[in-house]
Amino acid sequence: MIYACLAILQPAPDIYAMRKLEPDFYLQTDVTQIARQLLGKVLHTWLQGQHCAGRIVETEAYAGATDRASHAYGQRRTARTEVMYAAGGTAYVYLCYGIHHLFNVVTHQAGTPHAVLIRAIEPLLGQDTMSRRRGMVATDVRLGRGPGSVAQALGIHTAHSGYSLLGHDIWIADDGHIYPDNAILATPRIGVDYAGDDALLPYRFIVKNSPSISGTKRQNSHA
DNA sequence: ATACCGATTAACT
DNA sequence: GTTAATCGGTATA
């Protein structure tokens, strides 16, 4: 009886077979490689008493001190960006346009402010909660499309900046899902025109044909 | 203390 | 394709 109820409450994907990513993953030194590897991984949150999860299908790498598009360009340190200097496996969340909370994964060892922006997920678990937070129906394809949408759907906000991704509030897991290289496209990043030549770097990674990908047709066809 | 602007989104024309 | 919304972070005075 009890087990039957549990089965009804947690019917969706086989979340118990998912392996939480460990520090070694986040401590890798090539932030673009991490951004590529994060495609297909599953981002989970257990916030406000709700378990939500979605498969990552769009990311952007920000290469810290040498990257003009990064908040930490030139090794800049402020109260906001201090979190970027933490060890890989930490959440960096900041407010954009006064409205949107953007979730980033800090990578590399402590002192090197690399980060990966999670720009889109395909909802897997907790669609009811996500849709309530987003103010749309649970089947809407826009549930996890765009970085502001991802954070809103998962209940992530700036108060979560600095949280460890090795804990039980926000984490990333590998359920064995693999996207082959021919299913992936690398393009320039979105909204970083101020970054000069660095705006042209192919640091955005998307899963071709995913309904959750943000951006225009043109932005999603670059090679 | 004040001014400017953004790693965006949704609702328009 | 265009644009309003909206406010914390950051730089300047």
Side-chain angles (χ1 to χ4, degrees), chain A residues 31-128:
Chain A
V31 68
T32 61
Q33 202 158 305
I34 296 177
R36 163 65 181 90
Q37 291 174 34
L38 280 173
L39 297 179
K41 300 296 189 293
V42 182
L43 175 57
H44 293 253
T45 58
W46 193 314
L47 300 169
Q48 304 163 328
Q50 304 293 322
H51 187 183
C52 293
R55 192 174 307 287
I56 297 168
V57 291
E58 178 178 356
T59 60
E60 282 178 357
Y62 286 84
T66 61
D67 180 357
R68 287 183 64 185
S70 172
H71 293 163
Y73 176 59
Q75 204 75 358
R76 173 150 73 136
R77 297 182 98 114
T78 67
R80 176 178 68 158
T81 61
E82 190 59 33
V83 167
M84 297 183 79
Y85 293 82
T90 302
Y92 170 49
V93 188
Y94 72 93
L95 188 66
C96 190
Y97 290 94
I99 308 169
H100 308 290
H101 299 255
L102 271 54
F103 170 74
N104 300 255
V105 176
V106 174
T107 70
H108 211 294
Q109 65 192 356
T112 304
H114 289 182
V116 177
L117 173 65
I118 306 301
R119 289 190 57 90
I121 60 170
E122 290 177 1
L124 294 178
L125 189 66
Q127 286 93 335
D128 51 341

Side-chain angles (χ1 to χ4, degrees), chain A residues 6-206:
Chain A
L6 286 175
I8 291 168
L9 289 172
Q10 298 282 6
D14 186 13
I15 62 171
Y16 301 109
M18 295 178 173
R19 299 170 306 173
K20 185 181 294 189
L21 297 184
E22 301 194 19
D24 280 356
F25 179 88
Y26 300 107
L27 293 173
Q28 295 178 85
T29 56
D30 186 337
V31 68
T32 61
Q33 202 158 305
I34 296 177
R36 163 65 181 90
Q37 291 174 34
L38 280 173
L39 297 179
K41 300 296 189 293
V42 182
L43 175 57
H44 293 253
T45 58
W46 193 314
L47 300 169
Q48 304 163 328
Q50 304 293 322
H51 187 183
C52 293
R55 192 174 307 287
I56 297 168
V57 291
E58 178 178 356
T59 60
E60 282 178 357
Y62 286 84
T66 61
D67 180 357
R68 287 183 64 185
S70 172
H71 293 163
Y73 176 59
Q75 204 75 358
R76 173 150 73 136
R77 297 182 98 114
T78 67
R80 176 178 68 158
T81 61
E82 190 59 33
V83 167
M84 297 183 79
Y85 293 82
T90 302
Y92 170 49
V93 188
Y94 72 93
L95 188 66
C96 190
Y97 290 94
I99 308 169
H100 308 290
H101 299 255
L102 271 54
F103 170 74
N104 300 255
V105 176
V106 174
T107 70
H108 211 294
Q109 65 192 356
T112 304
H114 289 182
V116 177
L117 173 65
I118 306 301
R119 289 190 57 90
I121 60 170
E122 290 177 1
L124 294 178
L125 189 66
Q127 286 93 335
D128 51 341
T129 298
M130 295 193 218
S131 60
R132 182 163 37 73
R133 288 169 174 153
R134 296 273 295 124
M136 40 181 73
V137 296
T139 52
D140 197 307
V141 292
R142 296 170 301 171
L143 222 51
R145 178 189 291 176
S149 304
V150 168
Q152 185 178 39
L154 293 174
I156 298 171
H157 50 98
T158 51
H160 298 118
S161 199
Y163 270 45
S164 172
L165 301 179
L166 309 174
H168 297 97
D169 304 292
I170 307 172
W171 71 97
I172 300 174
D174 181 353
D175 69 348
H177 192 96
I178 297 290
Y179 288 117
D181 285 340
N182 64 19
I184 303 300
L185 210 53
T187 81
R189 293 168 292 186
I190 305 293
V192 296
D193 297 342
Y194 59 86
D197 291 345
D198 289 347
L200 304 175
L201 295 169
Y203 280 7
R204 172 171 175 253
F205 298 89
I206 64 179

